[in-house]
Coordinates of all heavy atoms in Angstrom, one line a residue:
K1 N 30.3 -92.7 6.5 CA 29.9 -94.1 6.5 C 30.7 -94.9 7.5 O 30.2 -95.8 8.1 CB 30.2 -94.7 5.1 CG 29.3 -94.2 4.0 CD 29.6 -94.8 2.7 CE 28.7 -94.3 1.6 NZ 29.1 -94.8 0.3
F2 N 32.0 -94.6 7.6 CA 32.8 -95.4 8.6 C 32.3 -95.1 10.0 O 32.2 -96.0 10.8 CB 34.3 -95.0 8.4 CG 35.1 -96.0 9.2 CD1 35.4 -97.2 8.7 CD2 35.7 -95.6 10.4 CE1 36.2 -98.1 9.4 CE2 36.5 -96.4 11.1 CZ 36.8 -97.7 10.6
F3 N 32.1 -93.9 10.4 CA 31.7 -93.5 11.7 C 30.2 -93.2 11.7 O 29.8 -92.1 12.2 CB 32.5 -92.4 12.2 CG 33.9 -92.8 12.5 CD1 34.9 -92.5 11.6 CD2 34.3 -93.4 13.7 CE1 36.2 -92.9 11.9 CE2 35.5 -93.8 14.0 CZ 36.5 -93.6 13.0
S4 N 29.4 -94.1 11.3 CA 28.0 -94.0 11.3 C 27.5 -94.1 12.8 O 28.2 -94.4 13.7 CB 27.3 -95.1 10.5 OG 27.6 -96.3 11.0
S5 N 26.2 -94.0 13.0 CA 25.6 -94.1 14.3 C 25.8 -95.5 14.9 O 25.6 -95.8 16.0 CB 24.1 -93.8 14.3 OG 23.5 -94.6 13.3
D6 N 26.2 -96.5 14.0 CA 26.5 -97.9 14.5 C 27.7 -98.0 15.4 O 27.9 -98.9 16.1 CB 26.7 -98.8 13.3 CG 25.5 -99.0 12.4 OD1 24.3 -98.8 13.0 OD2 25.6 -99.3 11.3
L7 N 28.5 -96.9 15.3 CA 29.8 -97.0 16.1 C 29.8 -95.8 17.1 O 30.3 -94.7 16.9 CB 31.0 -96.8 15.2 CG 32.4 -96.9 15.8 CD1 32.6 -98.2 16.5 CD2 33.4 -96.7 14.8
P8 N 29.2 -96.0 18.3 CA 29.2 -95.0 19.3 C 30.7 -94.6 19.6 O 31.6 -95.5 19.7 CB 28.5 -95.7 20.5 CG 27.8 -96.8 20.0 CD 28.6 -97.3 18.7
E9 N 30.8 -93.3 19.9 CA 32.2 -92.8 20.2 C 32.9 -93.6 21.3 O 34.1 -93.8 21.3 CB 32.1 -91.3 20.6 CG 33.4 -90.6 20.6 CD 33.3 -89.2 20.9 OE1 32.3 -88.6 20.4 OE2 34.1 -88.6 21.6
S10 N 32.1 -94.0 22.3 CA 32.7 -94.7 23.5 C 33.3 -96.1 23.0 O 34.2 -96.5 23.7 CB 31.7 -94.9 24.6 OG 30.6 -95.7 24.1
D11 N 32.8 -96.7 22.0 CA 33.3 -97.9 21.6 C 34.7 -97.9 20.9 O 35.4 -98.9 20.8 CB 32.3 -98.6 20.6 CG 31.1 -99.1 21.3 OD1 31.2 -99.4 22.5 OD2 30.1 -99.3 20.6
C12 N 35.1 -96.7 20.4 CA 36.4 -96.6 19.7 C 37.3 -95.7 20.4 O 38.3 -95.3 19.9 CB 36.2 -96.2 18.3 SG 35.5 -94.6 18.0
K13 N 37.1 -95.4 21.7 CA 37.9 -94.5 22.4 C 39.3 -95.1 22.6 O 40.3 -94.4 22.7 CB 37.4 -94.3 23.8 CG 36.3 -93.2 23.9 CD 37.0 -91.9 23.7 CE 35.9 -90.8 24.0 NZ 36.3 -89.5 23.4
R14 N 39.5 -96.4 22.6 CA 40.8 -97.0 22.8 C 41.6 -97.1 21.5 O 42.7 -97.4 21.5 CB 40.6 -98.5 23.3 CG 39.9 -98.5 24.7 CD 39.7 -99.9 25.2 NE 39.6 -100.9 24.1 CZ 39.9 -102.2 24.3 NH1 40.2 -102.6 25.4 NH2 39.7 -103.0 23.3
S15 N 40.9 -96.8 20.4 CA 41.6 -96.8 19.1 C 42.0 -95.4 18.7 O 41.5 -94.4 19.2 CB 40.7 -97.4 18.1 OG 40.5 -98.8 18.4
C16 N 42.9 -95.3 17.7 CA 43.3 -94.0 17.2 C 43.2 -94.1 15.7 O 43.6 -95.0 15.1 CB 44.8 -93.8 17.6 SG 45.5 -92.3 17.0
F17 N 42.7 -93.0 15.1 CA 42.6 -92.8 13.7 C 43.4 -91.6 13.2 O 43.2 -90.5 13.8 CB 41.1 -92.6 13.3 CG 40.2 -93.8 13.8 CD1 39.6 -93.7 15.1 CD2 40.1 -94.9 13.1 CE1 38.9 -94.7 15.6 CE2 39.3 -95.9 13.6 CZ 38.7 -95.8 14.8
I18 N 44.2 -91.8 12.3 CA 45.0 -90.7 11.7 C 44.6 -90.6 10.2 O 44.5 -91.6 9.5 CB 46.5 -91.0 11.8 CG1 46.9 -91.0 13.3 CG2 47.3 -90.0 11.0 CD1 48.4 -91.4 13.5
I19 N 44.3 -89.4 9.8 CA 43.8 -89.1 8.5 C 44.8 -88.1 7.8 O 45.1 -87.1 8.4 CB 42.4 -88.6 8.5 CG1 41.4 -89.6 9.1 CG2 41.9 -88.1 7.1 CD1 40.1 -89.0 9.5
T20 N 45.3 -88.5 6.7 CA 46.0 -87.5 5.9 C 45.2 -87.0 4.7 O 44.4 -87.8 4.1 CB 47.4 -88.1 5.4 OG1 47.1 -89.1 4.4 CG2 48.2 -88.6 6.5
T21 N 45.2 -85.7 4.5 CA 44.5 -85.2 3.4 C 45.2 -83.9 2.9 O 45.9 -83.3 3.7 CB 43.0 -84.9 3.8 OG1 42.3 -84.4 2.6 CG2 42.9 -83.8 4.9
R22 N 44.9 -83.5 1.7 CA 45.5 -82.3 1.2 C 44.4 -81.2 1.1 O 44.6 -80.1 0.6 CB 46.1 -82.5 -0.2 CG 45.1 -83.1 -1.2 CD 45.8 -83.5 -2.5 NE 46.4 -84.8 -2.3 CZ 47.3 -85.3 -3.1 NH1 47.7 -84.7 -4.1 NH2 47.9 -86.5 -2.8
N23 N 43.2 -81.6 1.6 CA 42.0 -80.7 1.4 C 41.6 -80.1 2.8 O 41.2 -80.9 3.7 CB 40.9 -81.5 0.8 CG 39.7 -80.6 0.4 OD1 39.3 -79.7 1.2 ND2 39.1 -80.9 -0.7
K24 N 41.7 -78.8 3.0 CA 41.4 -78.2 4.3 C 39.9 -78.4 4.6 O 39.6 -78.4 5.8 CB 41.8 -76.7 4.3 CG 43.3 -76.5 4.3 CD 43.6 -75.0 4.4 CE 45.1 -74.8 4.5 NZ 45.5 -73.4 4.5
D25 N 39.1 -78.5 3.6 CA 37.6 -78.7 3.9 C 37.4 -80.0 4.6 O 36.5 -80.1 5.4 CB 36.8 -78.6 2.6 CG 36.8 -77.2 2.0 OD1 37.0 -76.2 2.7 OD2 36.7 -77.1 0.7
V26 N 38.2 -81.0 4.2 CA 38.0 -82.3 4.9 C 38.4 -82.2 6.3 O 37.7 -82.7 7.2 CB 38.9 -83.4 4.1 CG1 38.9 -84.7 4.9 CG2 38.3 -83.6 2.7
T27 N 39.6 -81.6 6.6 CA 40.0 -81.5 8.0 C 39.1 -80.6 8.8 O 38.8 -80.9 10.0 CB 41.4 -80.9 8.1 OG1 41.4 -79.6 7.5 CG2 42.4 -81.7 7.4
S28 N 38.5 -79.6 8.3 CA 37.6 -78.8 9.1 C 36.2 -79.5 9.3 O 35.6 -79.2 10.3 CB 37.4 -77.4 8.4 OG 36.7 -77.5 7.2
A29 N 35.8 -80.3 8.4 CA 34.5 -81.0 8.6 C 34.6 -82.2 9.5 O 33.6 -82.7 10.0 CB 34.0 -81.4 7.2
I30 N 35.8 -82.8 9.7 CA 36.0 -84.0 10.5 C 36.2 -83.5 12.0 O 37.1 -82.7 12.2 CB 37.1 -84.8 10.0 CG1 36.8 -85.4 8.6 CG2 37.5 -85.9 11.0 CD1 38.0 -86.1 8.0
T31 N 35.5 -84.0 12.9 CA 35.7 -83.7 14.3 C 36.9 -84.4 14.7 O 36.9 -85.7 14.8 CB 34.5 -84.1 15.1 OG1 33.3 -83.5 14.6 CG2 34.6 -83.7 16.6

């Protein structure tokens, strides 16, 4: 939902997102 097609990758290149999770499935599914 957060990174829908409304947010092209080039528009957020200057930003950084850090995600913490305890679930390996989440980390493997997120590019």
Side-chain angles (χ1 to χ4, degrees):
K1 285 179 184 177
F2 190 78
F3 289 99
S4 65
S5 58
D6 294 337
L7 183 61
E9 190 175 323
S10 61
D11 287 339
C12 64
K13 279 287 189 201
R14 300 177 333 155
S15 293
C16 179
F17 304 91
I18 296 176
I19 297 164
T20 66
T21 183
R22 59 190 77 199
N23 189 319
K24 287 183 181 180
D25 293 333
V26 172
T27 59
S28 64
I30 295 172
T31 306

